[in-house]
Amino acid sequence: MESLDEENFGGYDAYFINEILDEHECPVCKMALRKPIQTQCGHRLCLSCAEEMRKRKEGVLICPLDNSILDSSKIFTDIAVKRVIMQLKVKCSNFSNGCEWTGELKILNEHLGSCEYQTLKCLNNPCSTSLLLKNLKEHMEKHCIYRLVTCQYCEQKIIFREKQIHEENCECLPLCCVNQCGMKIMRKEMSSHITDSCANTIIPCQYLNIGCKFKGMRKEHETHASSLMQNHLSMAISKLDALENKITLTVDTLENKIASKVNALENKIMLRVDALENKIMSKVESLETKTVSKVVALENKITSKVESFENKNASEVVALENKITSTVDALKNELISKVDAQKNKIMLHEKNLEIIKAFLAVKTEF
């Protein structure tokens, strides 16, 4: 049955205990009048039925009983009849489901809001089971395959129909150790248990790095280590000896490489020193040759001038000779000073070369 909502079209389709009177029945929808109106011809209609008839007749309202055209200004709400209808006795629309409630029409909606015999769909998606409200809670909490339950291992909320699959794959499910050590371990901790603590896990000896090739269960390793302590010690000593020999060989190899590189560097430096000495000597010889050449040219020039002035007065000749002698001596002194400075520079280079040779000799000894 529809609710008493006044937005519904037509009258009240309720299960009345007593047959309703003709004056309380709408001639259009044949149901109990909802918001009854009375026309000028004395007939009564549901307000919604009258509005629907007006729409169908393009705004004209015609009485369905005598076909008279009705004037909207002469139609009024029949409050008295509405009150009588709302007081009529009805049964719950869920009486076919076993509800025994009866009461006035005006409180039917209130009853339907809490009637335990109304049919509802289960609220657990996507369950489509329809059942009575009084059975809904028990179904949702105990029987619905889509209800939420708590995993006994990880306490996660899961759908009941997926419970078995979840528990078979639950990370917190306790499993017997695959190595048959007798312990039960959660699935998520099984790998770390086998790797780190399982007594039956096969692992190599802790002295594998010194040559022990024993492999056995973790629980056997303490016995193995205590019974073969002397062997492990001997292996360790042998490993140390081999390591010492390897280090010695490496050191020798490095020393040879260093000595070879030092020798090569020393030879390279000596070659550069020799080249520098040859270059300096060449420049000195060139300078001496140039100086001697200039002195000879000057002497020749002076001699030529002396000869040209031989016919002059003796006093002028003597004065000129003295002047020339003085000039020659000054030039000679200047040239000698330049040569000495160049020799000092050469000697300084030679001292620097000796220092470099001494430094190389000391580095080679180290």
Side-chain angles (χ1 to χ4, degrees), residues 210 230-243:
I210 63 172
Q230 187 62 40
N231 289 348
H232 289 154
L233 183 60
S234 298
M235 290 178 185
I237 292 172
S238 298
K239 187 80 172 180
L240 287 174
D241 290 340
L243 184 60

Side-chain angles (χ1 to χ4, degrees), residues 264-311:
L265 183 61
E266 184 178 358
N267 292 332
K268 189 174 182 181
I269 291 173
M270 290 301 296
L271 288 174
R272 295 189 68 176
V273 168
D274 292 341
L276 184 59
E277 286 180 345
N278 293 332
K279 189 174 182 181
I280 291 171
M281 292 302 296
S282 176
K283 285 188 176 182
V284 169
E285 290 175 356
S286 175
L287 183 60
E288 288 179 346
T289 302
K290 189 181 289 186
T291 301
V292 171
S293 176
K294 284 185 177 182
V295 169
V296 171
L298 185 59
E299 287 179 345
N300 292 333
K301 187 175 181 180
I302 292 170
T303 302
S304 176
K305 284 186 178 184
V306 169
E307 289 176 352
S308 65
F309 286 104
E310 282 181 350
N311 297 323

Side-chain angles (χ1 to χ4, degrees), residues 144-162:
C144 180
I145 61 173
Y146 295 104
R147 68 185 186 274
L148 291 179
V149 294
T150 303
C151 173
Q152 60 180 316
Y153 304 115
C154 67
E155 298 184 354
Q156 179 182 338
K157 293 292 185 181
I158 52 175
I159 297 175
F160 176 78
R161 68 176 297 182
E162 300 173 357

Side-chain angles (χ1 to χ4, degrees), residues 249-267 360 362-366:
L249 182 61
T250 303
V251 169
D252 292 341
T253 303
L254 288 174
E255 287 180 347
N256 292 333
K257 285 184 178 180
I258 291 171
S260 176
K261 286 187 177 181
V262 168
N263 290 333
L265 183 61
E266 184 178 358
N267 292 332
L360 291 174
V362 172
K363 187 174 180 182
T364 304
E365 288 176 3
F366 283 104

Side-chain angles (χ1 to χ4, degrees), residues 99-330:
C99 182
E100 297 178 354
W101 179 89
T102 60
E104 292 182 353
L105 178 62
K106 63 184 178 182
I107 61 173
L108 177 60
N109 263 354
E110 181 180 348
H111 165 72
L112 289 176
S114 59
C115 180
E116 293 186 344
Y117 290 88
Q118 60 183 307
T119 302
L120 299 173
K121 281 189 176 183
C122 176
L123 301 179
N124 292 329
N125 289 328
C127 182
S128 59
T129 302
S130 295
L131 63 165
L132 299 181
L133 175 61
K134 67 175 185 174
N135 300 325
L136 180 61
K137 182 177 180 181
E138 182 180 2
H139 167 78
M140 291 177 61
E141 294 179 354
K142 297 181 180 180
H143 306 296
C144 180
I145 61 173
Y146 295 104
R147 68 185 186 274
L148 291 179
V149 294
T150 303
C151 173
Q152 60 180 316
Y153 304 115
C154 67
E155 298 184 354
Q156 179 182 338
K157 293 292 185 181
I158 52 175
I159 297 175
F160 176 78
R161 68 176 297 182
E162 300 173 357
K163 179 181 178 183
Q164 183 176 354
I165 297 175
H166 169 80
E167 290 183 349
E168 289 175 356
N169 298 279
C170 181
E171 289 295 310
C172 296
L173 177 68
L175 301 173
C176 293
C177 176
V178 295
N179 287 339
Q180 299 179 356
C181 70
M183 294 185 66
K184 280 197 172 184
I185 311 296
M186 287 192 291
R187 176 182 277 113
K188 65 181 180 181
E189 297 176 353
M190 183 65 72
S191 178
S192 60
H193 165 73
I194 293 172
T195 303
D196 301 330
S197 59
C198 179
N200 288 354
T201 299
I202 303 297
I203 58 174
C205 177
Q206 61 180 319
Y207 299 110
L208 176 67
N209 61 336
I210 63 172
C212 183
K213 298 181 179 180
F214 173 79
K215 284 187 178 181
M217 296 182 182
R218 183 177 276 110
K219 63 185 178 182
E220 298 172 347
H221 277 257
E222 185 176 352
T223 303
H224 165 73
S226 59
S227 63
L228 296 177
M229 185 179 295
Q230 187 62 40
N231 289 348
H232 289 154
L233 183 60
S234 298
M235 290 178 185
I237 292 172
S238 298
K239 187 80 172 180
L240 287 174
D241 290 340
L243 184 60
E244 184 178 357
N245 292 333
K246 187 176 181 180
I247 291 172
T248 301
L249 182 61
T250 303
V251 169
D252 292 341
T253 303
L254 288 174
E255 287 180 347
N256 292 333
K257 285 184 178 180
I258 291 171
S260 176
K261 286 187 177 181
V262 168
N263 290 333
L265 183 61
E266 184 178 358
N267 292 332
K268 189 174 182 181
I269 291 173
M270 290 301 296
L271 288 174
R272 295 189 68 176
V273 168
D274 292 341
L276 184 59
E277 286 180 345
N278 293 332
K279 189 174 182 181
I280 291 171
M281 292 302 296
S282 176
K283 285 188 176 182
V284 169
E285 290 175 356
S286 175
L287 183 60
E288 288 179 346
T289 302
K290 189 181 289 186
T291 301
V292 171
S293 176
K294 284 185 177 182
V295 169
V296 171
L298 185 59
E299 287 179 345
N300 292 333
K301 187 175 181 180
I302 292 170
T303 302
S304 176
K305 284 186 178 184
V306 169
E307 289 176 352
S308 65
F309 286 104
E310 282 181 350
N311 297 323
K312 289 185 178 182
N313 295 329
S315 59
E316 289 180 356
V317 171
V318 172
L320 183 59
E321 286 179 349
N322 290 337
K323 188 176 181 179
I324 291 171
T325 301
S326 177
T327 302
V328 169
D329 291 339

